[in-house]
Each structure stands twice: as C-alpha cells, then as structure tokens.
Amino acid sequence: MHELTGPQRWLISVGAPLNKRNGRRLDRLGGDGRPTISWEASAVLRNGWQVRTSEDVVRTVSWLLGGGHRAEYEKAGLGTAREFAGWDAQRVANVAGWAYAAYLVDLETAWAWHRQAGALVRESFTSWADYGASYLAGLASWCEGEREVLDPSEQAMTWLLNDPSSPWLTLPFDLDLGDTPAPDLAPIEVLVGQANTPTIADAIQLAGPDGRVLVPAGTYREVIAPTHGIEIVAQGEVTVESAHVPCVRIEKMVGARLQGITLRSQLTADGKSLNAVHVNRGYVRMEACDVAASHDGVRVVTWGSAHVVDSTFHDCGSNGLNLVSGQLIAERCTVQRSAQNGIELQGEAGALVDECSIEDSGAASVLAHGKVRATLRRSTFTRNAGSASVVGIGSSDLVIDEVSIAGSQSGGIFFQETASAAISRTRITGCKLAALDVATTEPIQADEITATGNASAGVLVRNRAKLLLRGSQLEDSAEGHVWVLDTGILAMADCRLARGALGLWVQEGGAAVVHASRFEHHTGIAVDVQPRSNVELSFVHIEHAGGDGALVGEGASLRMSASTVNGAGGAGVRVDTTGSAVLESVTLTGCAGGEVVGDATRTESELSTEDQAAEAARAFTRAVRGRLIG
C-alpha cells in the first residue's frame, strides 16, 4: 500500500470517531486491511445495519446521504438537520469502509461515498470540533443518552481533539481536498512456484498479512491454512486436493478470500469423510469456486462466517453447505447432488440464500433447525428427495421470498415444532406430497403463494398449527387444496382454489375463516366442514363444484355471508341433523341437489355491499388477531 496523501487521510478521518472508539486504525478504510478486518466488518454490517449484500449497502448509504437520521430527528423536533449532520456523515464513512472491507463494494464505490461524506461535513461545519459535537449529539439521540454508549465515544472525541498525534490536529479542517483520488490499496502479490515459494503455504507466508497469492494452473496437494488475512487467486485452472484434512481450514478470526479455486476433499486413508472448507471462528469469502467433498462442501462452526458467491458445490457426501454456528451468505450459487441436504442451517446462526439453485438433494434443499434465522429469496429448489424441499423445525425462523420449488419427491415446504416463517411470492409445483405443510405452534404467514399440480394437498394445517394465507393461487392439487386437520386454524383471504378433488376440508376440531376467495371447478365438495369444526365464509364465491357447495357435518358450524354458490353438482349447502349453518345474504343458483338440504338459518342483511365488505374485512382482521395471534 502506498503512502496516503493529506486529502486521503482527511477523508478517512471523517470516520475517526468510531474507529478510535473501537481501537481501530485511523488511516485505513474500515479500520484495517482486508481480509484481516473482513470478519468484523461483515458482522458489524449484518448485526448493526441488516446489511448483507451489495444491494443492502447501496440502499443504506443512499438513505444516509439523502436525509438519514438528521431528517428524522428534525421532523421529531429534536433539532435542525445541520445539528445532526455529523452523525450521518460519520456513519456514511464507516459503512462505506466496512462494505469495502467485507468485499461488498469495490474501492472506487467506497471512496466515492467517503468523498460525499466529506462534502457533507464541509458544507455543514467549520471545524473538527463542530463536526465532533454534531456526531455526539446524534449519538446521544440514537442511544437515548445511555452512558455506556456515550462515555467511550466522548473519550475518543477528547483524544481526537487534544492528542498531538490525532489526525484532527495534524490535518487542518480547511485542507484543500480537490478531486482526491482513491488511495492505492493494492496488496503485495506473490506468485506460487518461484524458488522461495514452491507451495501455496510458502507464498501465503511471504505475502504477509492482507497480501495476495497468485496460483498458476495446476493441481496442488496441500492444505490452505493461513495464520493471517490473505487473498488466494487462481491464474488458470487450479485444483487443490486433500485426503487427510480439509482443503481449506480457517480459524482464530483469520480472514481469507478464494477466487476461482477448485477444491476436492477425498476420504481419508481410514475411510473418514472430510469437509472441503472448514471455518472455525474465522471468515472466508469464496468467488467462482468449484467444490466437491467427501463430507460437507463448506462447514462453518463456532461463530465463523462464510460468504460464497458465484460458486458451485456438487457431489458432496453430506451437505453442500453446512452452517453449524455463525453466519452464511450464499449468492448466485449452485448446489447439486448433495447426499444429504443442499444447505443445512442449525444452532444459533443466521443465513441468507439469494439467487441460488439447489438440485437433486438426497434430503432437503434447505434444512433449518435450532435457533436459525434465515432468508431464502430469488432461488430455485428442484428434485429433492427428503421430507420436503424446505424444512423448518425447532425454533427456526425463515423468510422465504420469490422461491420456486419443483419436482420434490415429497413435500414443498414443511414446518414443525416451534418454527416460524413468513412466505411470499413463492411457487410450488409437481410435489408428491403437500406444497405447504404447517405443523408448528407458531403462526405462519404466506402471501402470494402459487401451488400447481401437486400430487397430494396444496396446503396442510395440522397439529394445532395456525396459518394466514393471502393472495394465493392453488390449482390442480390431486387430493384437495387446503386441509385443516387436528385442531389447526386457518385464516384465508383473496385466494383462488381451482380444480382438484376438494377446495377446503376442515377436519374434526379445526377452524377456518375465509374472506374474499373463490372456489372453482372441484370434482368433489368445495367446502367440507367435518364434525365439530367451525368455518366462517364472507364474500366467498363457489363455482361448479362436483359435489355440494358446502357440507356441514355432525356438530359442525358454518357461517356464510355475502357469498354465492353457483352450479353445484350436489346441494348448495348441506347440513347434518346436528350441524348448524347461518346463511346471511347468500345466493344459491343452479345447484343440482337443491339450494339447502337440512336446517339452516337464512337472513338478508340490510347493509349495502360496500358496508358488508368493510364489515367482513373487519371481522376477518379480528379473527386473525384472535385465533392466529391471541
């Protein structure tokens, strides 16, 4: 790294308050070199800012530069935006530095943000002291005056304003910055294969902390186990093989970046399987790597961290990726033919799986258990052979968004025990069991689900589970679209259930509240309320059921309002002798078995359609809160 110019040191010093507080360097983006600081930088961004990807960083910095906390604090009457501008400027500099250190943005992008932070400081203040006071004012508002937070920052500020070695005393506030270029942060590069670097391990030692090792094409039978931060970059087709320990082992908070490397871990001489990459309380970033392993492709333990991008994991003897404890980010990766799960997430861990493809897993595409918090988005899971393609058990908490699941040899998504989840914009097709199987005690919310051509049910709600299903399309489920079993509770709104044997089947002890939904062209009963179950329908339209429009069994109850049944092959509504049905403003037409068979109370509402819709929406909201949340 070349010597920094005065203007470069000035711009980096915008982030000095927090770097000094945290004991980090004041002359490095992010507080130190990368990948030495990558583990810490990625953790701070993830835990403090909910930033895990490049998209997240751009959104966060854009918000800070566009108004940030200073606009919010001014709106709340805490002071003018200028009074808090220092707080936002310092945070722009820190987030930009951390994002560079975590390999989320390149140097030019991070430096452009530093220049914008510097411009905000210059236009808002006339001295370092003025800037520092603004930073502390913002911090005090943010932490609500908590002394444990304020005291270390005030001590750092005292040092910055008074110590002779402080950059704030050696660099004048009005220093001419000009069009300051980004600093030269190019690492020392060492080529493997020279006289003093015959192996990758030799080159790592010669390159030193935060150096870069260039590996010529070839096969290397050795272990990559750096003791300091290092980048390892392939120059052609590079394969690293190991048959006695993992190909790559990262420990003790060491950071490493691998680019373009093929990794192959074999069975040991005594038949034990090996991970290709093992991360134990360290950090690894893998770009464009190809991994096969006799055990896990990547295994992360003891609060390690792995960020894998544009890489392929295939033919692993256990899992493609296995997060035991710590953090995992997988972007644009392919996981194929894992003997067990494509990705296993367990323990107290957090994960993001984004734009990934997982195919032909021996068990689940993604298995989450323990206290995992994970987001699965914009990904495709195909042809798994386990109990379901996505499985959430234990106390796991999943966000599933824009996921496509196809061809599962069992179910699509399955939740059990105390797992919780929010699912949206997800498509599930061609599963041999239920598309969505909810058997957890925690409420599950599912929005805009499309389930098509599944051999069993579309949705199962069982074992006292609670599901809120909205805006979804369920079509061609061979055995029926929604089954509520074993005292499960369903709230459903704005859904369409078309074709298949049954529409909604609520078994003994179950309950369902359905609003503004359509049941179309079922070969059997559209709404089947089994003994001792309860169903409420409002603004529901049943079209062309092969059997009854609605069947109310022994001891069951149905309340149906502002709804229609048209063209049922059986009765419009059929009520068992001990069942009860209340039909309010219900229209029954073209029902081959008669409009109502059995006793039902029929009334007409005096409310207008608009009023009925509003009241039905309110009733639906009350039902959701009372039954799913309460």
Side-chain angles (χ1 to χ4, degrees):
M1 174 178 169
H2 290 73
E3 186 71 24
L4 295 174
T5 66
Q8 288 170 340
R9 288 190 291 123
W10 195 102
L11 287 173
I12 291 175
S13 293
V14 171
L18 190 55
N19 282 332
K20 179 61 182 175
R21 181 191 191 279
N22 292 340
R24 288 300 174 189
R25 295 182 62 165
L26 305 183
D27 60 348
R28 291 289 187 273
L29 268 69
D32 211 328
R34 73 175 191 181
T36 289
I37 197 67
S38 298
W39 185 79
E40 182 178 324
S42 61
V44 169
L45 288 172
R46 181 177 61 247
N47 298 328
W49 291 90
Q50 290 73 57
V51 164
R52 294 178 289 187
T53 67
S54 301
E55 292 176 350
D56 297 338
V57 176
V58 171
R59 182 175 61 253
T60 298
V61 173
S62 297
W63 174 75
L64 286 167
L65 290 170
H69 286 104
R70 61 192 182 280
E72 293 182 355
Y73 293 163
E74 183 175 68
K75 186 176 180 180
L78 300 178
T80 66
R82 178 197 171 280
E83 291 178 77
F84 299 109
W87 172 244
D88 281 337
Q90 191 265 177
R91 286 156 82 80
V92 169
N94 286 132
V95 169
W98 293 328
Y100 171 73
Y103 295 95
L104 298 184
V105 297
D106 59 23
L107 177 59
E108 290 301 326
T109 299
W111 194 247
W113 288 337
H114 269 77
R115 285 199 293 263
Q116 289 175 278
L120 178 58
V121 170
R122 278 289 181 82
E123 70 187 29
S124 303
F125 310 109
T126 59
S127 69
W128 287 118
D130 194 15
Y131 166 52
S134 174
Y135 167 74
L136 289 177
L139 176 62
S141 295
W142 178 77
C143 73
E144 299 179 340
E146 186 177 339
R147 293 314 310 178
E148 286 187 11
V149 176
L150 281 172
D151 287 348
S153 294
E154 289 177 350
Q155 292 166 12
M157 193 65 61
T158 298
W159 185 92
L160 286 168
L161 293 171
N162 293 281
D163 192 282
S165 62
S166 165
W168 285 12
L169 292 186
T170 58
L171 297 167
F173 186 80
D174 59 357
L175 180 70
D176 183 10
L177 300 179
D179 186 18
T180 308
D184 183 354
L185 301 181
I188 295 173
E189 293 186 343
V190 174
L191 181 66
V192 176
Q194 304 302 299
N196 56 348
T197 57
T199 69
I200 296 174
D202 292 327
I204 290 172
Q205 292 306 310
L206 184 60
D210 301 323
R212 177 178 295 157
V213 172
L214 305 179
V215 187
T219 298
Y220 298 79
R221 293 179 175 85
E222 59 176 295
V223 177
I224 297 174
T227 56
H228 54 252
I230 197 72
E231 294 186 350
I232 302 173
V233 179
Q235 305 286 286
E237 295 185 7
V238 173
T239 299
V240 176
E241 294 182 351
S242 177
H244 59 286
V245 293
C247 301
V248 179
R249 192 173 185 94
I250 309 296
E251 297 181 304
K252 299 177 181 177
M253 298 180 68
V254 168
R257 170 180 173 246
L258 309 178
Q259 184 181 62
I261 309 290
T262 294
L263 301 173
R264 298 288 185 266
S265 74
Q266 312 297 330
L267 290 171
T268 64
D270 57 355
K272 293 181 180 178
S273 59
L274 292 171
N275 307 317
V277 179
H278 189 89
V279 185
N280 179 8
R281 201 171 179 81
Y283 168 89
V284 67
R285 179 178 173 90
M286 301 173 63
E287 302 170 8
C289 292
D290 183 292
V291 180
S294 57
H295 197 64
D296 295 331
V298 174
R299 186 178 180 91
V300 182
V301 302
T302 322
W303 296 106
S305 180
H307 192 160
V308 295
V309 182
D310 298 319
S311 295
T312 300
F313 304 85
H314 58 91
D315 302 295
C316 294
S318 187
N319 306 291
L321 300 168
N322 188 350
L323 177 63
V324 179
S325 172
Q327 298 292 326
L328 169 69
I329 298 174
E331 297 183 88
R332 301 181 302 278
C333 291
T334 298
V335 184
Q336 299 172 318
R337 299 181 299 279
S338 301
Q340 293 297 316
N341 307 292
I343 300 177
E344 182 172 355
L345 309 169
Q346 53 185 307
E348 293 190 23
L352 169 65
V353 178
D354 191 12
E355 294 188 85
C356 291
S357 174
I358 303 178
E359 305 169 358
D360 301 306
S361 301
S365 298
V366 178
L367 168 63
H369 54 104
K371 296 182 179 179
V372 172
R373 301 293 178 265
T375 297
L376 316 178
R377 70 185 184 197
R378 300 182 296 195
S379 295
T380 301
F381 306 146
T382 309
R383 297 183 303 276
N384 70 286
S387 59
S389 186
V390 176
V391 178
I393 56 178
S395 56
S396 59
D397 186 1
L398 300 183
V399 174
I400 303 173
D401 184 33
E402 289 190 73
V403 167
S404 176
I405 296 172
S408 170
Q409 297 301 303
S410 49
I413 302 175
F414 174 51
F415 298 109
Q416 195 176 31
E417 297 175 7
T418 60
S420 59
I423 313 168
S424 58
R425 297 178 293 182
T426 288
R427 184 177 183 85
I428 308 170
T429 60
C431 297
K432 291 189 176 180
L433 296 178
L436 174 60
D437 187 345
V438 181
T440 174
T441 58
E442 293 298 309
I444 301 292
Q445 180 173 316
D447 294 320
E448 299 180 52
I449 306 301
T450 300
T452 304
N454 296 292
S456 182
V459 175
L460 284 178
V461 186
R462 57 194 179 94
N463 295 350
R464 300 182 300 282
K466 302 173 182 179
L467 172 67
L468 171 59
L469 182 67
R470 299 184 298 192
S472 296
Q473 304 283 327
L474 310 179
E475 299 178 342
D476 301 306
S477 301
E479 297 182 4
H481 290 306
V482 181
W483 293 5
V484 183
L485 317 174
D486 307 325
T487 66
I489 298 175
L490 167 75
M492 183 170 75
D494 302 309
C495 293
R496 176 175 174 267
L497 287 65
R499 300 180 298 279
L502 298 170
L504 170 65
W505 186 30
V506 184
Q507 279 197 358
E508 188 166 327
V513 180
V514 182
H515 176 61
S517 296
R518 299 185 66 87
F519 297 78
E520 301 174 357
H521 301 285
H522 295 98
T523 58
I525 299 166
V527 177
D528 189 347
V529 189
Q530 289 286 299
R532 288 169 290 283
S533 296
N534 173 267
V535 172
E536 299 176 24
L537 309 177
S538 61
F539 287 83
V540 167
H541 301 280
I542 298 173
E543 295 282 342
H544 302 295
D548 299 326
L551 171 64
V552 185
E554 176 186 342
S557 66
L558 169 69
R559 183 179 184 87
M560 191 174 185
S561 60
S563 298
T564 63
V565 179
N566 179 51
V573 176
R574 187 183 303 273
V575 186
D576 184 89
T577 54
T578 59
S580 66
V582 176
L583 312 180
E584 181 182 22
S585 299
V586 172
T587 301
L588 306 166
T589 58
C591 301
E595 292 186 357
V596 178
V597 175
D599 293 331
T601 302
R602 300 190 67 174
T603 64
E604 294 297 325
S605 173
E606 296 180 359
L607 297 175
S608 68
T609 301
E610 225 174 84
D611 290 338
Q612 280 182 311
E615 175 55 34
R618 286 192 292 270
F620 180 78
T621 301
R622 289 194 298 271
V624 170
R625 287 176 178 168
R627 298 187 183 188
L628 268 67
I629 301 173

